[in-house]
């Protein structure tokens, strides 16, 4: 059963070592960039590692910013990187559901995610998990929402 861990000095290199496939790099920033952004926006970023036993298999970063003027940035998944060798095993779904659980715990009833359209992109994954496009496009990306 996978679990979430906070980022610590002991696991930060394992986090940075998580790599998506080369053809997927256009769809998500590297973990090292996300961690730098998390450091810069400590107040809102929610970065976590997904572990299965002793293996770090995925990285997820949420954002909780209830006062943001843009609704899509109030409670959402900012990044999701499942290691290329660990894809297709349910870890992406686990990470999204774990984020949703945290969102619910904080009193949110709606989570959003932005994805880039394109072959090899994550659209089908998010649709499979129940996200629906809101019709908005932000920074060229499709906005998807899931009601909790
Ligand atoms: C997209 C991504 C997060 C999916 O993670 P994953 O661990 O491979 O997905 P899961 O094994 O949890 O799959 C959950 C379900 O989605 C489906 N799914 C996953 N990727 C899919 C795809 N590319 N196309 C269609 N269905 C897909 C699975 O078949 C599974 O369906 P099921 O309910 O029938 O079992 C992963 O491929 C990834 O990290 N991609 C590169 C980075 C990226 O695009 N991140 C998102 C940025 S917004």
């Amino acid at each position: 059963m996978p679990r979430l861990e906070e980022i610590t000095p002991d696991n930060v290199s394992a986090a940075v070592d998580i790599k998506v496939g080369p053809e997927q790099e256009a769809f998500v920033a590297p973990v090292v960039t996300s961690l730098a952004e998390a450091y810069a926006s400590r107040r809102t970023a929610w970065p976590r590692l997904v572990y299965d036993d002793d293996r770090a298999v995925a990285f997820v970063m949420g954002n909780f910013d209830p006062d943001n003027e843009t609704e899509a940035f109030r409670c959402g998944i900012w990044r999701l990187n499942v290691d290329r060798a660990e894809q297709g095993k349910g870890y992406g779904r686990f990470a999204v559901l774990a984020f949703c659980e945290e969102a619910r715990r904080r009193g949110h009833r709606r989570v959003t995610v932005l994805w880039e359209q394109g072959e090899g992109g994550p659209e089908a994954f998010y649709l499979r998990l129940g996200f629906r496009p809101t019709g908005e496009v932000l920074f060229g990306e499709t906005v998807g929402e899931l009601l909790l």
Side-chain angles (χ1 to χ4, degrees):
M1 179 66 186
R3 66 182 190 281
L4 286 186
E5 298 271 346
E6 291 192 32
I7 311 295
T8 65
D10 289 336
N11 66 25
V12 67
S13 346
V16 168
D17 283 346
I18 288 173
K19 297 275 163 33
V20 300
E23 69 294 348
Q24 299 173 323
E25 286 173 1
F27 296 96
V28 71
V31 173
V32 68
T33 302
S34 296
L35 288 177
E37 289 170 339
Y39 178 81
S41 53
R42 261 181 286 210
R43 196 177 56 80
T44 66
W46 189 83
R48 294 290 185 277
L49 261 180
V50 179
Y51 267 87
D52 197 350
D53 275 328
D54 57 351
R55 289 176 0 262
V57 295
F59 172 82
V60 60
M61 188 155 95
N63 196 49
F64 293 108
D65 190 6
D67 300 326
N68 198 300
E69 56 186 21
T70 306
E71 207 180 346
F73 295 145
R74 291 181 192 159
C75 170
I77 294 171
W78 189 354
R79 298 280 157 65
L80 176 58
N81 310 51
V82 178
D83 191 85
R84 60 196 294 190
E86 303 286 358
Q87 293 181 9
K89 302 180 184 179
Y91 297 128
R93 182 201 304 273
F94 172 82
V96 170
L97 293 182
F99 171 79
C100 290
E101 204 175 294
E102 176 67 14
R104 213 176 281 120
R105 201 181 65 73
R106 293 176 183 233
H108 293 278
R109 291 292 170 266
R110 174 182 185 259
V111 305
T112 51
V113 65
L114 271 60
W115 67 76
E116 189 148 331
Q117 305 259 346
E119 196 172 327
E123 181 169 65
F125 165 75
Y126 285 118
L127 294 178
R128 178 81 186 139
L129 265 57
F131 284 82
R132 290 296 166 255
T134 64
E136 292 161 279
V137 175
L138 284 176
F139 308 111
E141 300 196 348
T142 301
V143 180
E145 70 170 1
L146 179 69
L147 302 180
L148 300 177

